[in-house]
Amino acid sequence: METGSGQDTEPAAGEPVWIGLPPGLLRMRRLLLVVWLGLIALALGGLLGLFAGPAWAAFALLPLAVIAWGWVMLGRNWASWRYAERADDLLISRGVLWREETVVPYGRMQLVEVTSGPVERHFGLASVQLHTAAAATDATIPGLDPAEAERLRDRLTELGEARSAGL
């Protein structure tokens, strides 16, 4: 299976096969960053230049610096997201400074839904939201291709029904 981050190499025996997020999510987030902060930079520069003088318009460079920093941080965050389907549970790993790994047992899943807002639909992306009895273990896998999101939803629902029947 192709991934965006290249993190799924041949695992050792018993190791999970990690799947990274597709690059479309990174493109969408970076575009939103540039659009919103670019508009703020233009508005700030225009208003400061008009009302306070051209020297004050240099403060419009601050949002541009945040764009450069955010560009790198979004790339690092995107590369940190991955998930793995194991025999009894789903693993979701994310985080750059603070790594967070969520383990969701199939038998504890109550609801698996695929969501896609207007921006995600424009970029051809969808998210899988997992709901369990314990709110602390609810999890989301963002930015998947819609076909992969539906496949994952169907598989997780099937596995969840099979595992919960044995309880």
Side-chain angles (χ1 to χ4, degrees), residues 17 26 37 63 66 71 83 103 121 154 161:
V17 178
L26 180 61
L37 287 178
V66 173
W71 189 275
Y83 65 98
V103 180
R121 278 194 310 273
D154 293 344
E161 289 172 356

Side-chain angles (χ1 to χ4, degrees), residues 127-149:
S127 297
V128 174
Q129 176 85 32
L130 308 164
H131 299 279
T132 63
T137 59
D138 286 0
T140 302
I141 304 173
L144 297 174
D145 294 320
E148 171 64 8

Side-chain angles (χ1 to χ4, degrees), residues 37-64:
L37 287 178
L39 289 173
I40 290 172
L42 286 174
L44 186 63
L47 291 173
L48 286 175
L50 185 63
F51 294 115
W56 286 95
F59 278 104
L61 296 175
L62 289 176
L64 298 178

Side-chain angles (χ1 to χ4, degrees), residues 1-67:
M1 203 177 280
E2 181 180 42
T3 66
S5 62
Q7 294 176 339
D8 62 348
T9 58
E10 286 298 318
E15 289 292 315
V17 178
W18 290 102
I19 303 169
L21 299 182
L25 178 66
L26 180 61
R27 281 193 300 272
M28 178 190 77
R29 288 181 174 174
R30 282 180 170 169
L31 180 65
L32 290 174
L33 173 79
V34 169
V35 167
W36 286 110
L37 287 178
L39 289 173
I40 290 172
L42 286 174
L44 186 63
L47 291 173
L48 286 175
L50 185 63
F51 294 115
W56 286 95
F59 278 104
L61 296 175
L62 289 176
L64 298 178
V66 173
I67 288 174

Side-chain angles (χ1 to χ4, degrees), residues 103-123:
V103 180
V104 184
Y106 296 134
R108 300 292 182 187
M109 289 183 201
Q110 292 183 328
L111 174 68
V112 181
E113 62 183 346
V114 175
T115 60
S116 186
V119 176
E120 283 181 309
R121 278 194 310 273
H122 178 75
F123 283 89

